[in-house]
mmCIF file of all heavy atoms in Angstrom:
data_model
loop_
_atom_site.group_PDB
_atom_site.id
_atom_site.type_symbol
_atom_site.label_atom_id
_atom_site.label_comp_id
_atom_site.label_asym_id
_atom_site.label_seq_id
_atom_site.Cartn_x
_atom_site.Cartn_y
_atom_site.Cartn_z
ATOM 1 N N LEU N 58 5.114 11.534 -5.256
ATOM 2 C CA LEU N 58 6.144 10.681 -5.848
ATOM 3 C C LEU N 58 6.801 11.434 -6.993
ATOM 4 O O LEU N 58 6.197 12.340 -7.571
ATOM 5 C CB LEU N 58 5.550 9.375 -6.401
ATOM 6 C CG LEU N 58 4.962 8.381 -5.407
ATOM 7 C CD1 LEU N 58 4.459 7.136 -6.148
ATOM 8 C CD2 LEU N 58 5.967 7.987 -4.343
ATOM 9 N N ALA N 59 8.012 11.038 -7.316
ATOM 10 C CA ALA N 59 8.731 11.644 -8.439
ATOM 11 C C ALA N 59 9.464 10.540 -9.191
ATOM 12 O O ALA N 59 9.894 9.550 -8.588
ATOM 13 C CB ALA N 59 9.729 12.685 -7.937
ATOM 14 N N PRO N 60 9.604 10.707 -10.503
ATOM 15 C CA PRO N 60 10.409 9.735 -11.254
ATOM 16 C C PRO N 60 11.840 9.769 -10.734
ATOM 17 O O PRO N 60 12.326 10.803 -10.294
ATOM 18 C CB PRO N 60 10.354 10.254 -12.696
ATOM 19 C CG PRO N 60 9.238 11.238 -12.728
ATOM 20 C CD PRO N 60 9.077 11.769 -11.336
ATOM 21 N N ASP N 61 12.506 8.629 -10.761
ATOM 22 C CA ASP N 61 13.887 8.564 -10.287
ATOM 23 C C ASP N 61 14.618 7.505 -11.090
ATOM 24 O O ASP N 61 14.219 6.342 -11.079
ATOM 25 C CB ASP N 61 13.925 8.203 -8.807
ATOM 26 C CG ASP N 61 15.315 8.319 -8.229
ATOM 27 O OD1 ASP N 61 15.661 9.437 -7.813
ATOM 28 O OD2 ASP N 61 16.032 7.317 -8.213
ATOM 29 N N GLU N 62 15.678 7.905 -11.746
ATOM 30 C CA GLU N 62 16.490 6.982 -12.511
ATOM 31 C C GLU N 62 15.633 5.954 -13.228
ATOM 32 O O GLU N 62 15.491 4.820 -12.784
ATOM 33 C CB GLU N 62 17.522 6.300 -11.613
ATOM 34 C CG GLU N 62 18.531 7.277 -11.047
ATOM 35 C CD GLU N 62 19.629 6.574 -10.262
ATOM 36 O OE1 GLU N 62 19.908 5.409 -10.544
ATOM 37 O OE2 GLU N 62 20.180 7.231 -9.384
ATOM 38 N N VAL N 63 15.096 6.366 -14.320
ATOM 39 C CA VAL N 63 14.170 5.550 -15.113
ATOM 40 C C VAL N 63 14.595 4.091 -15.057
ATOM 41 O O VAL N 63 15.767 3.792 -15.254
ATOM 42 C CB VAL N 63 14.140 6.069 -16.563
ATOM 43 C CG1 VAL N 63 13.260 5.219 -17.431
ATOM 44 C CG2 VAL N 63 13.683 7.519 -16.589
ATOM 45 N N PRO N 64 13.718 3.194 -14.760
ATOM 46 C CA PRO N 64 12.279 3.371 -14.582
ATOM 47 C C PRO N 64 11.850 3.320 -13.112
ATOM 48 O O PRO N 64 10.946 2.575 -12.761
ATOM 49 C CB PRO N 64 11.697 2.211 -15.360
ATOM 50 C CG PRO N 64 12.675 1.095 -15.110
ATOM 51 C CD PRO N 64 14.031 1.768 -14.968
ATOM 52 N N GLY N 65 12.452 4.088 -12.272
ATOM 53 C CA GLY N 65 12.113 4.053 -10.857
ATOM 54 C C GLY N 65 11.317 5.257 -10.400
ATOM 55 O O GLY N 65 11.109 6.207 -11.147
ATOM 56 N N VAL N 66 10.856 5.184 -9.171
ATOM 57 C CA VAL N 66 10.163 6.307 -8.535
ATOM 58 C C VAL N 66 10.695 6.430 -7.113
ATOM 59 O O VAL N 66 11.221 5.483 -6.540
ATOM 60 C CB VAL N 66 8.625 6.133 -8.508
ATOM 61 C CG1 VAL N 66 8.052 6.138 -9.904
ATOM 62 C CG2 VAL N 66 8.215 4.878 -7.774
ATOM 63 N N ARG N 67 10.547 7.619 -6.561
ATOM 64 C CA ARG N 67 10.950 7.854 -5.177
ATOM 65 C C ARG N 67 9.898 8.733 -4.519
ATOM 66 O O ARG N 67 9.210 9.505 -5.178
ATOM 67 C CB ARG N 67 12.319 8.510 -5.108
ATOM 68 C CG ARG N 67 12.365 9.883 -5.723
ATOM 69 C CD ARG N 67 13.725 10.553 -5.568
ATOM 70 N NE ARG N 67 13.781 11.758 -6.368
ATOM 71 C CZ ARG N 67 13.165 12.892 -6.070
ATOM 72 N NH1 ARG N 67 12.466 12.993 -4.967
ATOM 73 N NH2 ARG N 67 13.267 13.939 -6.856
ATOM 74 N N ILE N 68 9.811 8.611 -3.220
ATOM 75 C CA ILE N 68 8.908 9.470 -2.467
ATOM 76 C C ILE N 68 9.580 10.826 -2.296
ATOM 77 O O ILE N 68 10.792 10.908 -2.091
ATOM 78 C CB ILE N 68 8.518 8.819 -1.122
ATOM 79 C CG1 ILE N 68 7.363 9.582 -0.468
ATOM 80 C CG2 ILE N 68 9.720 8.696 -0.213
ATOM 81 C CD1 ILE N 68 6.690 8.837 0.663
ATOM 82 N N THR N 69 8.812 11.877 -2.396
ATOM 83 C CA THR N 69 9.327 13.232 -2.239
ATOM 84 C C THR N 69 9.164 13.672 -0.788
ATOM 85 O O THR N 69 8.516 12.998 0.017
ATOM 86 C CB THR N 69 8.568 14.211 -3.148
ATOM 87 O OG1 THR N 69 7.195 14.247 -2.718
ATOM 88 C CG2 THR N 69 8.650 13.805 -4.616
ATOM 89 N N ASP N 70 9.727 14.828 -0.468
ATOM 90 C CA ASP N 70 9.527 15.385 0.876
ATOM 91 C C ASP N 70 8.038 15.618 1.126
ATOM 92 O O ASP N 70 7.536 15.332 2.219
ATOM 93 C CB ASP N 70 10.308 16.692 1.047
ATOM 94 C CG ASP N 70 11.817 16.463 1.114
ATOM 95 O OD1 ASP N 70 12.248 15.315 1.373
ATOM 96 O OD2 ASP N 70 12.570 17.431 0.882
ATOM 97 N N ALA N 71 7.345 16.123 0.109
ATOM 98 C CA ALA N 71 5.893 16.340 0.239
ATOM 99 C C ALA N 71 5.180 15.013 0.455
ATOM 100 O O ALA N 71 4.218 14.931 1.227
ATOM 101 C CB ALA N 71 5.348 17.054 -1.002
ATOM 102 N N GLY N 72 5.638 13.964 -0.207
ATOM 103 C CA GLY N 72 5.049 12.639 -0.032
ATOM 104 C C GLY N 72 5.283 12.099 1.360
ATOM 105 O O GLY N 72 4.393 11.500 1.968
ATOM 106 N N ARG N 73 6.489 12.308 1.887
ATOM 107 C CA ARG N 73 6.775 11.857 3.262
ATOM 108 C C ARG N 73 5.896 12.602 4.268
ATOM 109 O O ARG N 73 5.385 12.019 5.218
ATOM 110 C CB ARG N 73 8.245 12.060 3.603
ATOM 111 C CG ARG N 73 9.132 11.071 2.898
ATOM 112 C CD ARG N 73 10.417 10.811 3.667
ATOM 113 N NE ARG N 73 11.234 9.900 2.879
ATOM 114 C CZ ARG N 73 11.024 8.596 2.800
ATOM 115 N NH1 ARG N 73 10.027 8.058 3.451
ATOM 116 N NH2 ARG N 73 11.796 7.827 2.061
ATOM 117 N N GLU N 74 5.731 13.894 4.052
ATOM 118 C CA GLU N 74 4.877 14.689 4.946
ATOM 119 C C GLU N 74 3.431 14.193 4.864
ATOM 120 O O GLU N 74 2.775 14.023 5.891
ATOM 121 C CB GLU N 74 4.971 16.177 4.562
ATOM 122 C CG GLU N 74 4.299 17.117 5.545
ATOM 123 C CD GLU N 74 2.811 17.282 5.291
ATOM 124 O OE1 GLU N 74 2.379 17.239 4.128
ATOM 125 O OE2 GLU N 74 2.070 17.443 6.277
#
Side-chain angles (χ1 to χ4, degrees):
L58 294 182
D61 188 86
E62 295 185 26
V63 177
V66 295
R67 64 177 170 74
I68 191 166
T69 64
D70 289 342
R73 287 207 183 282
E74 189 275 327

